Amino acid sequence: MSLTALLNTDLPLIQAPMAGSQDHRLAAAVCQAGGLGSIPCAMLTPAALRQELQAMRELTERPFNLNFFSHVPPEPDAAREAGWRETLAPYYDELGVDPASIAGGPGRLPFNAEAAALVEEFRPAVVSFHFGLPQPDLLERVRRSGAKILSSATTLDEALWLQERGVDAVIAQGLEAGGHRGHFLDFDLSRQLGTFALLPQLVDALDVPVIAAGGISDARGVTAAMALGAAGVQVGSAYLLCPEATTSVLHRAALQSPAARHTALTNLFSGRPARGIVNRLMRELGPLSTQAPAFPLATAAIAPLRAAAEARGSGDFSPLWAGQNVASCRPMPAAELTRELAQSLGRST
């Protein structure tokens, strides 16, 4: 089955879910242009997700994707948290942040029973997961709702694991991709592959469609991915400059500056490796730190630094998520970008 038939879309093109940089407006614009728009749900409360779903239904009747995280929340570690805040103490002093005023909190929520109930109520065409899959009973609720199920794999082992559990398609997330790595079976970053090394391995080994993600920002990348056997592509960073995205002014400026040529995987902002533009915090602490609390608990201690710096017009403490290939990214409406990406597919929107 083709990806368009599986997803019921005009184009085999998915807009990557980008928590913190988009809402339903970007997703709806992509859907209306023939692709599959995605709503990131990990940072939304059930009430906020309900609002997004209602707003999405008002803008489009086309199929769309809801994306959830499938991580297991860690046990809080007071000693590690205290050590992390001690590491950040000079920055708190510099920006006038009182560490005692910092509230804890997970920052990102895994897929749970409340989310499953919303899936059952609103019945999205597609539900995708990052960091593996939820518990079998929750996954079965999604399947019974009628949604097609996608999930990200960063290695062949992860892709086979997902196929064994009945996903309808696998997203091959290459090392170039911006935002959080989707790995879940093996946390050794040396096993992570670039998109065009990972993709053909998955295409050869799997029976389900494989969707290429990471480093694809224009029609040339789409062509290359399809030539290697991809059933479709997932594009994220290129959509960050669209007017429908909620990308901050600071983030937009960074994406269009020479700084965007240098990205790195960092765990400083959330506790889990994610690719972003290198900034002051990453340079001074090193992008990867053993002191950072486990995902997603590192977020709370960084949040007030980010807020204070951004109020001064600085992205020194902000997660400026971006993939390795943003040189060709330009500000343009999401529908126009979707059509440009699809130029090589021999289809019209």
Side-chain angles (χ1 to χ4, degrees), residues 138-160:
L138 293 174
L139 185 64
E140 184 57 29
R141 289 177 65 177
V142 175
R143 186 172 285 115
R144 287 201 304 267
S145 79
K148 301 302 181 184
I149 298 171
L150 315 181
S151 189
S152 300
T154 67
T155 64
L156 176 56
D157 287 342
E158 288 177 347
L160 292 170

Side-chain angles (χ1 to χ4, degrees), residues 68-132:
F68 298 93
F69 284 179
S70 299
H71 63 285
V72 177
E75 291 294 328
D77 185 332
R80 190 172 181 181
E81 182 68 34
W84 182 230
R85 296 192 184 197
E86 182 63 27
T87 298
L88 299 175
Y91 302 121
Y92 293 144
D93 291 341
E94 176 186 336
L95 294 172
V97 174
D98 179 6
S101 68
I102 300 173
R108 293 166 177 83
L109 300 172
F111 188 75
N112 56 25
E114 288 180 297
L118 285 168
V119 168
E120 290 166 334
E121 178 182 350
F122 284 88
R123 305 180 74 84
V126 181
V127 174
S128 66
F129 296 100
H130 214 47
F131 313 137

Side-chain angles (χ1 to χ4, degrees), residues 255-317:
L255 287 163
Q256 298 174 87
S257 75
R261 300 171 190 165
H262 186 193
T263 66
L265 294 179
T266 180
N267 67 341
L268 302 180
F269 299 102
S270 71
R272 192 178 182 111
R275 184 172 297 283
I277 298 170
V278 174
N279 59 6
R280 177 186 169 190
L281 186 69
M282 294 164 68
R283 286 192 299 269
E284 293 183 357
L285 295 186
L288 296 169
S289 172
T290 58
Q291 295 177 299
F295 177 86
L297 301 180
T299 304
I302 293 290
L305 293 174
R306 174 184 181 177
E310 288 184 351
R312 301 181 185 188
S314 169
D316 284 346
F317 299 89

Side-chain angles (χ1 to χ4, degrees), residues 13-16 18 212 216-217 222 233-239 337 341:
L13 192 153
I14 301 172
Q15 163 251 316
M18 299 177 291
I216 301 170
S217 62
V222 175
V233 299
Q234 178 171 281
V235 177
S237 297
Y239 283 102
L337 173 58
L341 289 166

Side-chain angles (χ1 to χ4, degrees), residues 9-40:
T9 58
D10 296 332
L11 301 168
L13 192 153
I14 301 172
Q15 163 251 316
M18 299 177 291
S21 293
Q22 66 147 121
D23 58 18
H24 64 279
R25 290 170 293 181
L26 177 63
V30 174
C31 291
Q32 289 297 99
L36 184 73
S38 303
I39 297 177

Side-chain angles (χ1 to χ4, degrees), residues 173-181 195 213-215 237 265 274-276 322-324:
Q173 189 196 32
L175 192 58
E176 303 95 328
H180 284 92
R181 303 298 304 146
T195 303
S237 297
L265 294 179
R275 184 172 297 283
Q324 287 184 319

